[in-house]
Amino acid sequence: MDLVTPGIGLIFWSTITFILLLWLLKRFAWKPILGAVKSREESIKNALSAAEDAKKEMQNLTADSEKLLKEARAEREAMLKEAREIREKIVADAKERAEAEGDKMIKQAQATIESEKKAAVADIKSQVAELSVAIAEKVIKEKFSDKAKQLELVDTMLGEVKLN
Amino acid sequence: MHGNFEVDQCGLKAMCMSVQKTVKVLLAAIMLALVPNTGAAATSDPANASEEKEFNPAELAMEHVLDAHEWHLADYSGHSVSIPLPIILWDNGLKVFMSSAFDHGHSVVESGGSHYVIEHETIYKTDAGGTLTYDEAGHPTNEKPLDFSITKNVASMFLSVLLLLGIFIGAARSYSGANVPRGIASFMEPLIVFVRDDIAKNNIGEAKYRKFLPYLLTVFFFIWINNLIGLLPIPPGGGANVTGNIAVTMVLAIFTFILTNIYGNKDYWKHIFWMPGVPVAVKPLLAIVEFLGIFTKPFALMIRLFANITAGHIIILSLISLIFIFETEWASIASVPFVIFMSCIELLVALLQAYIFTLLSALFIGLAVQEHEHH
C-alpha cells in the first residue's frame, strides 16, 4: 500500500522544508506582523482611553463653567441685594438726618421765639416801668397843685395806657 | 470490477441514466478508486478487451494521489508530457540525475557504477539489463536505494513555501511605516488574528500562547496553502497532493507531538501516569490508556488530514473518470456539475482541515502546558 506508507524522501524534505519555513516566517513575517497588530491594538486602546479621558475632562469643564456661572449669578444677586440695602440705608439715614435737622431748626426757632418773646416782655416791662415812673412823676406833680386835676390826669394817662 | 459491471449496464445510454444510477455509479467509482492498483486492473469485459489500453479510473486516481518522480502534465498522442525532476539516491554515495533519464520507466539508468529502474514510482537497483525479480504478490524483490528525490510533492511543497514566504513577508513589509495593513496584509491579518485569538489564546491561555503562536500560524497557512495548491489542475498543483501524503502529515503531526511532550509540565505527566482524583485501582489502567493517548492524538492528526485531502482528490478524480468510463462526452452533463460542487466543498475542506489541525495542535499543547487547579 503505497498510499499509507510514508516515503523516507518526503519525510526528509518536508521536515527540512517545514523547519526552514517556520524559521523564516517567524523571523520575517510573524514577528513584524504580530508586532504591528499588537502595537496598533495598543494604540487603539490608548486612543479610546484618551477619548474617554477627554470626555471626562470635558464634563468636568462643563461642570466647572456651570459652577462658575452659578457663582457669578449668586454674586450678582448678592451685590444687588447689598446695593438695595445700602440705598435703603442711605435713604433712611437721610430721612433721619433731615428729621433731626428739622427738629433742631424748629427747636432753634422756638428758642429764638421764646427769647424774642422774653426780650419783648422785658422791653414792655421796662417801658411800663418807665411809663409808670413818668406817670408817677406827673401824678406827684399834679397832686401838689390841684387834687382834682391830679385825678383827672391819672385817668387820662391810664386811658392812654389802655390805648397803647 | 463493480465499475465495469455498471459500464455494461449503462453503456452509451448514459444520457438518460437516472439519478439513482448516477449515485450507484458514483459509489462504484469511489469503491474502485479505493481498491489497490493491481486488483482493479483485470477485466473480463469482451467489449473493452480489444482496446490496447483500457481506461482504469483506480489507476488514474492513484497516479494523481500518490507521489511521482516526474511532474506529469498530460498525455499527447501516446507521449507523456512531463517536467523532469531531480532524482537523488543514497546508495553507497550520493547519486543525482534527472528523472527524464528513466524515459517514463522505459530505460535503465546507470549512475556511479550502479543501475536503476523505476516501477510504480519506486526505484530499484538492478543490473545493466534492468532485470527485476518478483515475489508471489507481484512486487519486485530487488534492493531499493534510499530515495531522497525531489519528487512532484517535494517540488510542489517548495513552490508553496516560496508562495507562503512571498505572501507573508510581503504582508509584513506593508506594515512598515504606518501600522495599517495594505494589500494582501489586509486579507491575511484577520486570519492571523483569528489564529492568535481563537486558536492559540483560547486553547493555550493568555500566559503561554506566545511561544507556540509562530508554529500554529505556520502550520495553519502551510496546510491551507498546500490544500489549495492540491486543488489546482496545473503546477504548482497539477496532481501534487502534498497534504494528502501521509509522509507530510506525519511530519506535521510529529512536530505537534514533540512540542506537546517537550513543553508538557509536571501536571501533564502526572495526569498521564498517576491520574489524580480517581481510585488507586483505576490509576494503572488509566495510565496505560493515557500513555497510548500520547501517541494516538498526533496519529489521529496525521490520519485526519491525510484521509480528508486524499478522499477529496479521489472523489473529484472519480467524478471526472465517469466521462471516460461511459466513453461519452454526455456523461459530463452529470459529472461536471458534480465536480464543480465537490471542488467548492474541497475549497471549504481545505480551510477547515487547516483549522482543525491547528486547533487540535493548540488544544494538545494547551492541555500539556496548562496549570491545573489542584483537586
Side-chain angles (χ1 to χ4, degrees):
Chain A
M1 290 295 285
D2 288 344
L3 193 60
V4 288
T5 314
I8 179 81
L10 201 48
I11 291 176
F12 172 77
W13 287 115
S14 40
T15 307
I16 287 183
T17 309
F18 190 79
I19 289 174
L20 202 67
L21 178 70
L22 179 59
W23 185 76
L24 285 171
L25 283 181
K26 186 180 173 178
R27 178 128 168 47
F28 297 110
W30 305 141
K31 217 169 155 190
I33 292 175
L34 290 169
V37 169
K38 199 173 172 199
S39 74
R40 195 175 63 229
E41 278 170 349
E42 259 156 29
S43 82
I44 289 172
K45 213 197 257 169
N46 289 344
L48 281 176
S49 72
E52 197 65 30
D53 285 352
K55 206 171 140 193
K56 252 179 216 159
E57 209 161 309
M58 195 68 190
Q59 273 171 349
N60 285 347
L61 273 178
T62 318
D64 275 0
S65 69
E66 225 150 82
K67 206 171 124 200
L68 271 175
L69 207 66
K70 214 181 252 175
E71 272 174 9
R73 211 173 281 145
E75 208 165 324
R76 193 192 64 179
E77 207 72 24
M79 278 167 79
L80 277 175
K81 203 174 156 195
E82 208 175 338
R84 212 178 293 133
E85 272 166 10
I86 287 169
R87 191 192 68 184
E88 268 163 23
K89 197 165 162 244
I90 287 170
V91 169
D93 277 2
K95 219 171 174 182
E96 214 170 289
R97 215 176 297 147
E99 256 167 34
E101 199 75 13
D103 281 354
K104 206 171 136 194
M105 280 168 77
I106 290 168
K107 265 182 195 151
Q108 253 172 7
Q110 276 173 343
T112 313
I113 292 166
E114 199 63 30
S115 68
E116 290 283 311
K117 200 171 134 192
K118 273 179 185 161
V121 169
D123 198 27
I124 290 167
K125 269 180 182 169
S126 71
Q127 279 185 23
V128 168
E130 275 177 32
L131 207 61
S132 308
V133 170
I135 292 165
E137 212 180 75
K138 278 178 182 170
V139 166
I140 292 164
K141 273 179 185 169
E142 281 293 315
K143 197 183 166 180
F144 288 111
S145 54
D146 186 13
K147 203 178 173 181
K149 273 197 179 169
Q150 282 176 353
L151 284 172
E152 202 187 338
L153 186 70
V154 170
D155 279 341
T156 324
M157 290 199 113
L158 280 173
E160 273 173 16
V161 168
K162 265 178 198 166
L163 279 171
N164 266 349
Chain B
M1 318 246 179
H2 294 278
N4 289 328
F5 175 66
E6 292 289 343
V7 171
D8 287 346
Q9 275 207 325
C10 299
L12 291 170
K13 292 182 280 178
M15 256 184 79
C16 46
M17 66 187 167
S18 66
V19 174
Q20 201 185 358
K21 266 185 186 167
T22 314
V23 174
K24 262 163 85 183
V25 171
L26 190 70
L27 286 173
I30 293 165
M31 275 168 67
L32 246 183
L34 291 172
V35 173
N37 301 8
T38 46
T43 179
S44 56
D45 186 357
N48 287 343
S50 57
E51 284 181 26
E52 203 180 326
K53 199 188 170 194
E54 182 206 345
F55 174 71
N56 184 336
E59 211 167 82
L60 174 105
M62 279 302 143
E63 225 167 67
H64 280 80
V65 167
L66 287 174
D67 206 357
H69 286 84
E70 56 182 11
W71 208 322
H72 184 229
L73 301 176
D75 280 318
Y76 181 69
S77 64
H79 293 286
S80 285
V81 179
S82 52
I83 304 169
L85 294 167
I87 303 281
I88 303 166
L89 300 176
W90 182 264
D91 183 27
N92 298 322
L94 205 62
K95 315 277 168 72
V96 182
F97 51 91
M98 292 304 281
S99 69
S100 50
F102 283 122
D103 189 21
H104 311 300
H106 301 307
S107 304
V108 180
V109 176
E110 191 271 325
S111 175
S114 304
H115 294 82
Y116 302 99
V117 286
I118 188 163
E119 187 174 288
H120 287 300
E121 290 306 330
T122 311
I123 294 169
Y124 298 96
K125 209 171 169 182
T126 182
D127 54 17
T131 331
L132 285 174
T133 50
Y134 295 91
D135 62 8
E136 284 157 9
H139 298 300
T141 53
N142 291 42
E143 197 190 329
K144 286 184 266 187
L146 285 179
D147 184 358
F148 293 103
S149 303
I150 307 297
T151 57
K152 187 171 69 175
N153 280 344
V154 177
S156 175
M157 188 161 61
F158 286 169
L159 291 174
S160 82
V161 166
L162 290 181
L163 199 62
L164 281 163
L165 290 175
I167 291 171
F168 289 104
I169 293 176
R173 285 254 171 85
S174 84
Y175 282 95
S176 54
N179 251 345
V180 182
R182 266 177 295 125
I184 192 82
S186 52
F187 178 71
M188 289 303 171
E189 194 193 291
L191 290 166
I192 293 170
V193 171
F194 171 77
V195 172
R196 188 193 66 177
D197 292 347
D198 291 275
I199 296 178
K201 246 186 222 174
N202 272 1
N203 292 294
I204 302 176
E206 186 74 52
K208 289 175 177 170
Y209 80 93
R210 272 184 198 89
K211 201 191 292 171
F212 304 102
L213 193 51
Y215 170 69
L216 294 172
L217 283 167
T218 309
V219 138
F220 179 80
F221 288 106
F222 179 78
I223 294 175
W224 189 33
I225 290 289
N226 276 299
N227 286 348
L228 291 177
I229 287 175
L231 294 174
L232 289 176
I234 49 158
N241 183 24
V242 174
T243 41
N245 191 295
I246 200 146
V248 176
T249 63
M250 189 175 95
V251 168
L252 295 176
I254 286 172
F255 274 107
T256 297
F257 172 80
I258 290 171
L259 282 177
T260 310
N261 291 292
I262 278 185
Y263 288 102
N265 57 18
K266 223 171 79 188
D267 274 334
Y268 168 70
W269 294 109
K270 201 178 163 192
H271 274 73
I272 287 168
F273 290 114
W274 206 244
M275 179 72 84
V278 296
V280 178
V282 187
K283 282 178 196 264
L285 201 69
L286 269 178
I288 295 169
V289 174
E290 288 288 329
F291 182 72
L292 284 176
I294 299 175
F295 302 98
T296 52
K297 282 183 215 163
F299 188 80
L301 277 184
M302 167 180 89
I303 295 293
R304 185 180 297 108
L305 182 57
F306 155 73
N308 271 289
I309 302 307
T310 301
H313 282 225
I314 288 176
I315 291 173
I316 290 178
L317 289 165
S318 306
L319 287 166
I320 292 173
S321 295
L322 285 180
I323 301 167
F324 300 97
I325 290 170
F326 294 125
E327 291 175 0
T328 166
E329 62 271 31
W330 292 106
S332 58
I333 293 173
S335 139
V336 168
F338 266 116
V339 170
I340 292 170
F341 173 70
M342 274 314 298
S343 297
C344 292
I345 301 250
E346 283 305 304
L347 280 177
L348 180 70
V349 168
L351 183 60
L352 193 69
Q353 288 305 322
Y355 168 64
I356 290 174
F357 195 100
T358 315
L359 178 77
L360 290 176
S361 291
L363 193 73
F364 298 155
I365 293 169
L367 286 173
V369 300
Q370 73 179 202
E371 304 291 344
H372 290 274
E373 291 158 34
H374 289 281
H375 316 287

